[in-house]
Amino acid sequence: MSTPRIIFAGTPAFAHVAMKALVDAGLIPVAVLTQPDRPAGRGRKLTASPVKKFATQLGIPVLQPQTLRDDEAHAALEALRPDVMIVAAYGLLLPQAVLDIPRHGCLNVHASLLPRWRGAAPIQAAILAGDNNTGVSLMAMTAGLDCGPVYAEQRIEIAPNETAGELHDRLAAAGGKLLVAELQTILDGERVAVEQDEGLATYAGKIQKQDAEIDWRRPATEIHRAVRAYNPVPGAYFFHAENRIKIWRAAVATGVSGNPGEILQFSKDAIVIACGEDGLRLEELQMPGKRRAVAREFVDQADFS
């Protein structure tokens, strides 16, 4: 069978991993669709997405429309005569006119076990909720948000102390493998997509920086999950003496109590803060303008008196 004509639509590192899996399998996209370059870093210099950088290295044409709702974008996609469009964390909803362009439709690589955690931040949502498992789904795209029928999925157990960054990397790798393993079967019509149960749907909205501020009134188990979920972006934080202090690693300290936010211990042995239930042992922190430091180093940088 001839190699399918693939348009790959994606933007961040998660999508780059899926695209690389395709390329490594000899499935080279005829074009890439990715978000326009965005300002990044302290200098706010316009920076290409990981997917664009990879496509450029391979000499694959790159399309970066501001919107997919105009005739020019539709014409450019139609001219490519795609058999399928593979979408992974692209960042824009695809209107029906675009979904209808590929001969076999559009296939989405999504980082959850749908219908749980539709939306922008499924990895963080799974950790925040205390889920024991998550995974990746291959979904036939429809005009709604992550609500199309699912062709295949791969379940992954979430480790007790796993951060969103660590889980992201495992899910990205699993998504790439699942995509390559199932793509031809799907295109050949040998896989039947299963409709999602709308009654089980949950949503993971886009994360804002203020979401990551620690509320010490909450149980330590929930705060610990927040520390993991917001590592590496945007980083869980709290304020002390007007300093925004980020927490990168922590653990629950059971059997301790105090007023929420009270510093129960601040020494080279441990830093413990009281929560609404139990306490949180801070293991790796960061003062503004400083590098990350483990607790025994952090006490030399900060005055918590």
Side-chain angles (χ1 to χ4, degrees):
M1 178 162 296
S2 61
T3 302
R5 292 180 60 80
I6 298 170
I7 295 176
F8 185 87
T11 299
F14 182 87
H16 170 228
V17 174
M19 181 179 167
K20 186 176 185 303
L22 287 173
V23 170
D24 289 347
L27 300 168
I28 313 297
V30 296
V32 157
L33 191 61
T34 192
Q35 288 277 302
D37 297 358
R38 306 292 189 200
R42 290 187 177 180
R44 306 304 292 165
K45 180 180 178 182
L46 283 179
T47 303
S49 72
V51 166
K52 179 182 178 179
K53 291 177 181 177
F54 185 49
T56 301
Q57 291 171 2
L58 299 175
I60 298 173
V62 176
L63 305 176
Q64 295 180 276
Q66 293 284 349
T67 177
L68 293 176
R69 297 187 179 276
D70 59 43
D71 293 339
E72 184 179 352
H74 296 173
L77 295 173
E78 286 175 342
L80 293 166
R81 298 178 292 105
D83 293 311
V84 64
M85 183 185 295
I86 295 171
V87 182
Y90 171 45
L92 288 179
L93 286 175
L94 274 59
Q96 192 63 50
V98 171
L99 294 173
D100 291 339
I101 291 173
R103 189 160 60 95
H104 293 285
C106 299
L107 183 65
N108 181 238
V109 185
H110 184 76
S112 79
L113 298 174
L114 292 168
R116 187 156 179 80
W117 305 129
R118 298 172 179 176
I123 298 174
Q124 293 88 341
I127 294 175
L128 286 170
D131 292 355
N132 294 320
N133 298 281
T134 186
V136 286
S137 301
L138 294 183
M139 175 192 68
M141 295 186 70
T142 61
L145 178 62
D146 299 330
C147 58
V150 176
Y151 282 109
E153 64 181 24
Q154 175 67 53
R155 183 176 296 269
I156 286 179
E157 183 177 348
I158 302 174
N161 292 309
E162 193 164 23
T163 67
E166 293 162 347
L167 183 56
H168 166 281
D169 292 349
R170 291 206 296 137
L171 288 169
K177 290 179 182 178
L178 186 65
L179 174 62
V180 169
E182 298 291 343
L183 179 59
Q184 193 59 58
T185 302
I186 292 170
L187 296 181
D188 290 342
E190 296 174 8
R191 275 279 190 188
V192 177
V194 178
E195 295 291 341
Q196 297 183 40
D197 184 343
E198 290 294 324
L200 298 178
T202 55
Y203 292 87
K206 186 176 180 180
I207 292 171
Q208 307 295 330
K209 182 179 290 187
Q210 60 267 28
D211 295 335
E213 182 173 358
I214 298 299
D215 180 354
W216 296 111
R217 295 169 297 180
R218 302 189 70 82
T221 52
E222 294 183 10
I223 297 175
H224 179 235
R225 293 201 296 260
V227 170
R228 294 162 50 214
Y230 298 129
N231 181 348
V233 177
Y237 65 91
F238 67 100
F239 287 97
H240 181 78
E242 299 184 354
N243 288 316
R244 182 194 297 263
I245 300 171
K246 289 192 174 183
I247 308 173
W248 295 112
R249 297 279 179 178
V252 175
T254 57
V256 300
S257 63
N259 295 322
E262 179 185 353
I263 299 167
L264 301 177
Q265 185 175 353
F266 186 75
S267 69
K268 289 184 179 293
D269 293 329
I271 301 172
V272 180
I273 297 182
C275 304
E277 181 180 310
D278 294 322
L280 194 72
R281 183 184 300 273
L282 311 185
E283 297 179 345
E284 185 178 6
L285 305 95
Q286 186 175 19
M287 288 284 287
K290 302 286 187 179
R291 63 175 178 81
R292 297 185 187 187
V294 296
R296 65 178 178 276
E297 298 172 342
F298 184 82
V299 296
D300 294 328
Q301 299 179 1
D303 180 7
F304 270 36
S305 58

